[in-house]
């Protein structure tokens, strides 16, 4: 898991550097430096050792001296202009929080119990500003996870419905959290389709481009929505039929164990048994 996190951070950093240099490959001027490797690896190791379930961060300070890769990594993120003649945050720092965390608004709509806190001070002296990084270790007070998503919608009534299946595949590949279609009546009593997509803030632009490209719509509406989620974890469960991924959710007096559908389908086909029997076999979890 630690190695996976390190690779994920480096992958985002690599793509950002490649994009801004416009040469088809990244310049490893800073990415290849030993201090970047130490920074990224240490962060991922500490996150693992602290058993951090999730990382959240608010708006990111944006100074006057900002690296091009930093700007690319912060695309579609909330920033605040610090007006300081400093970098404020490096591409490496941005890559760690954006690759491993989620951004929330300043209010966060969450209640937390602070368990511990740590501070790190930089060597540069800044007038009227503390050059410090604060990290807080906290527990959610609620049984629910709370976050913010974007609901993207449009109506179509003049499109070949065969496109919908392909559209759904493209949207999920782009990072959509959920895609669903509903029948509706549009202008002049035409029978149409309401296309709805649940998206994170950083995938909104990509999802909008796909909808415009693959459908006949001329406009898309989107709005923010607060979401409540049960605490969840995933693990591999093995029984007499084989191995399958399990999603386990708990909180607010309930517990749900759901086997991964695709894994169960593979087992059903390979064993030539009914899918419902496989689902039942794995529904008990560990």
């Amino acid at each position: 898991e630690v190695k996976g996190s390190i690779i994920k951070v480096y992958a985002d950093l690599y793509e950002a550097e490649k994009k801004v240099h416009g040469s088809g490959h990244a310049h490893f001027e800073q990415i290849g430096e030993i201090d970047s490797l130490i920074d990224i690896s240490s962060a991922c190791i500490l996150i693992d050792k602290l058993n951090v379930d999730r990382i959240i961060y608010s708006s990111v300070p944006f100074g006057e001296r900002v690296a091009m890769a930093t700007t690319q990594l912060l695309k579609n993120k909330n920033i605040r202009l610090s007006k300081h003649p400093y970098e404020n945050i490096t591409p490496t720092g941005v890559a760690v929080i954006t690759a491993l965390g989620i951004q929330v608004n300043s209010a966060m709509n969450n209640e937390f119990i602070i368990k511990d806190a740590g501070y790190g001070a930089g060597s540069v002296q800044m007038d009227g500003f503390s050059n410090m990084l604060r990290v807080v270790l906290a527990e959610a007070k609620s049984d629910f996870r709370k976050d913010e998503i974007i609901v993207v919608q449009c109506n179509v009534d003049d499109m070949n419905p065969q496109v919908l299946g392909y559209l759904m595949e493209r949207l999920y590949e782009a990072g959509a959290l959920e895609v669903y279609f509903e029948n509706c009546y549009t202008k002049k009593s035409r029978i149409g389709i309401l296309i709805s997509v649940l998206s994170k803030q950083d995938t909104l632009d990509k999802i909008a481009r796909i909808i415009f490209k693959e459908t006949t719509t001329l406009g898309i509406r989107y709005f923010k929505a607060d979401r409540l989620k049960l605490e969840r974890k995933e693990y591999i469960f093995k029984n007499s039929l084989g191995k399958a991924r399990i999603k386990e959710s708990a909180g607010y007096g309930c517990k749900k164990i759901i086997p991964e559908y695709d894994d169960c389908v593979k087992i059903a086909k390979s064993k030539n048994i009914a899918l419902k029997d496989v689902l039942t076999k794995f529904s008990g979890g560990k």
Side-chain angles (χ1 to χ4, degrees):
E1 290 183 6
V2 173
K3 290 179 180 178
S5 296
I6 294 170
I7 292 171
K8 182 173 174 54
V9 174
Y10 263 110
D12 285 5
L13 197 55
Y14 173 82
E15 290 299 327
E17 292 283 6
K18 185 172 69 172
K19 180 88 172 177
V20 298
H21 286 289
S23 57
H25 64 278
H27 293 254
F28 282 87
E29 297 165 359
Q30 293 185 351
I31 305 177
E33 295 294 331
I34 189 64
D35 61 335
S36 295
L37 178 61
I38 292 172
D39 288 344
I40 293 172
S41 300
S42 297
C44 294
I45 291 169
L46 286 169
I47 290 167
D48 179 71
K49 286 186 175 295
L50 290 170
N51 294 316
V52 173
D53 180 56
R54 57 181 167 136
I55 299 170
I56 59 175
Y57 61 97
S58 57
S59 59
V60 179
F62 212 65
E64 293 181 4
R65 298 179 183 179
V66 181
M68 292 187 293
T70 298
T71 305
Q72 179 64 30
L73 285 162
L74 289 174
K75 186 178 180 181
N76 294 321
K77 303 293 185 184
N78 294 325
I79 65 167
R80 67 177 188 274
L81 300 179
S82 68
K83 298 182 180 180
H84 293 129
Y86 312 105
E87 193 172 15
N88 268 133
I89 188 166
T90 65
T92 302
V94 173
V96 170
I97 62 173
T98 56
L100 304 179
I102 58 171
Q103 189 173 57
V104 296
N105 59 38
S106 57
M108 292 195 292
N109 295 324
N110 280 282
E111 292 185 358
F112 295 98
I113 300 173
I114 295 179
K115 308 298 289 186
D116 211 338
Y119 294 83
S123 59
V124 177
Q125 298 297 314
M126 302 180 182
D127 294 334
F129 182 75
S130 298
N131 183 15
M132 300 181 72
L133 171 69
R134 178 181 63 191
V135 178
V136 176
L137 186 64
E139 285 184 359
K141 194 173 179 181
S142 171
D143 287 319
F144 296 115
R145 282 191 183 187
K146 300 178 182 180
D147 64 1
E148 190 176 76
I149 58 172
I150 308 297
V151 181
V152 186
Q153 292 183 330
C154 68
N155 299 340
V156 294
D157 58 13
D158 57 351
M159 189 180 78
N160 185 341
Q162 290 178 314
V163 174
L164 292 173
Y166 179 70
L167 172 65
M168 181 177 285
E169 291 179 13
R170 291 290 313 279
L171 290 170
Y172 276 124
E173 289 171 359
L177 301 172
E178 190 68 72
V179 182
Y180 56 95
F181 308 130
E182 298 175 87
N183 293 327
C184 64
Y185 284 95
T186 64
K187 59 186 178 182
K188 299 180 181 179
S189 298
R190 295 173 184 168
I191 297 176
I193 299 293
L194 169 61
I195 298 171
S196 298
V197 184
L198 304 187
S199 167
K200 294 181 180 178
Q201 180 67 52
D202 56 1
T203 55
L204 174 60
D205 184 64
K206 190 184 299 184
I207 285 171
R209 289 177 182 274
I210 291 174
I211 294 175
F212 277 126
K213 181 179 179 180
E214 300 294 345
T215 74
T216 57
T217 190
L218 301 179
I220 295 173
R221 58 188 175 273
Y222 66 93
F223 51 90
K224 294 180 179 180
D226 293 326
R227 181 172 63 161
L228 294 177
K229 301 187 297 182
L230 293 177
E231 292 290 339
R232 63 188 67 185
K233 61 180 179 180
E234 294 188 13
Y235 55 87
I236 302 294
F237 178 61
K238 183 177 181 180
N239 60 25
S240 58
L241 295 180
K243 294 190 294 184
R245 287 168 292 173
I246 302 293
K247 297 177 182 178
E248 184 177 307
S249 302
Y252 208 65
C254 64
K255 183 176 182 180
K256 302 178 182 180
I257 298 176
I258 304 173
E260 181 62 44
Y261 173 80
D262 290 337
D263 292 352
C264 291
V265 168
K266 289 180 181 179
I267 293 173
K269 289 181 177 179
S270 64
K271 300 287 186 180
N272 194 27
I273 56 179
L275 176 60
K276 62 180 179 63
D277 294 336
V278 178
L279 291 169
T280 300
K281 186 76 172 179
F282 281 96
S283 292
K286 65 180 180 180

